[in-house]
Amino acid sequence: MSPSTGVRETQRRRTRRALLDAALSLLEERSLGSLGLREVTRAAGVAPTAFYRHFRDMGELGTALVEEALASLHTTVRDVLAATGDSERRGEAAVRLVAELVRTRPAHVRFLVRERHGGVAAVREAIADQLDVFAEETGAALAADPVSAGWAGQDVTMLSRLLVDHMFMTASAFLAATLRGEDWTAATRTALGQLRLIHLGRVHWPG
Amino acid sequence: MSPSTGVRETQRRRTRRALLDAALSLLEERSLGSLGLREVTRAAGVAPTAFYRHFRDMGELGTALVEEALASLHTTVRDVLAATGDSERRGEAAVRLVAELVRTRPAHVRFLVRERHGGVAAVREAIADQLDVFAEETGAALAADPVSAGWAGQDVTMLSRLLVDHMFMTASAFLAATLRGEDWTAATRTALGQLRLIHLGRVHWPG
DNA sequence: CCTTTCGGGTAACAGTTGTTCACTGACTAC
DNA sequence: GTAGTCAGTGAACAACTGTTACCCGAAAGG
């Protein structure tokens, strides 16, 4: 029944959280592959051996982080797709939600951006699989849009992949702007312009 | 005068090449941050201390790889920009040249894609700086195009950033396809479609 | 020819790594 | 109340890390 209560379970969850948070903060300026088990446990304030009670190795901790990070992303994507109004407004909503995600969970977003093409195969594949799901959902939403009437199926997926990738581009741009001490107005304007351009191309696509 | 001949200099260059190649091959499935100095020298067949004759640390070796990789990329970008014909043909040329680059120097391309957002700050910045240069060049070429008549400067850079990022997306897609054992027809079609979509948006941009 | 330069190798260093084993003690289930 | 479970600890291990100081031998410069 996996009780959500119980003193023991609570403590277990607490240290697991400590491990994940420690890793996440170390990953701000490092990559997962260069992270040491002892390093993480030290930052989390537990003994090295406690690590094994929760994860087999660092790759498994990594995929746990992927699940966490993409859970937030998933709600964001769903919100965007569910947004009503013309595609112009929907683009604005998308950029706004990405911005909010980066603002509230910068470490998670940075982790995703960095490890998407990173050096740990298991993590790479976990992210890629989830992004495929996102692209598929986006494609379904696009196909339901009257603008896409008469589009070939492969053209829809072509566009949805572009949009998903653009989401990552935008998130990365926000992170970079923060790192340079800039505010986000320029990055926001760029992202909005690009979405608008893509939207224009979509409207005039020979369907 | 830095003689290009001389027995000593050739040997020096040979081991330097061995170090870079060893690192490059180790980086096929790892990231730079997780790479050890001894590991590289072992793979290169030289003593650990020989490393210091060429690089201060692994970050410096990384930036050397960035220079190498981006030298090839630079010629590719210039070729694309210099290509004549309408934007449709130019897009095809771009995809073809990226494909050729990935085919002839897969390790270098993978290195760029991986370390662009990777865990070594010096390398990240070196890549970002070069990409800024590329974006600027692309912007200049776009501005010279009659299609961009009346465009605001920031809109031009907005588009050029999108194109540069799309180049990376495409390269990454080719690498992923190879990894899965697929051929490149699907990835090529996707990339071409996306460029065509962007081009359509460009034509109908309110200038 | 003799001296200097210098790329590479050897040996050693203190420190860190991942992993194991046995152990504790508080919680849980009956 | 009592037996069992189990998250976390402590000590120990061989292996490996980056870095240093010193040495070697051949090429380079005069």
Side-chain angles (χ1 to χ4, degrees), chain B residues 76-126:
Chain B
T76 298
V77 170
R78 284 199 189 284
D79 286 358
V80 170
L81 294 179
T84 56
D86 57 302
S87 293
E88 196 68 36
R89 304 289 165 195
R90 220 191 272 200
E92 288 179 21
V95 173
R96 206 177 320 122
L97 282 174
V98 169
E100 193 185 325
L101 186 63
V102 175
R103 201 173 286 118
T104 58
R105 296 173 129 85
H108 282 89
V109 174
R110 168 146 36 220
F111 171 75
L112 283 182
V113 170
R114 180 160 296 161
E115 301 300 331
R116 173 142 104 107
H117 306 284
V120 182
V123 172
R124 242 163 30 215
E125 288 156 16

Side-chain angles (χ1 to χ4, degrees), chain A residues 177-191:
Chain A
T178 302
L179 208 68
R180 292 186 215 160
E182 304 171 3
D183 67 355
W184 291 5
T185 56
T188 302
R189 191 175 44 221
T190 297

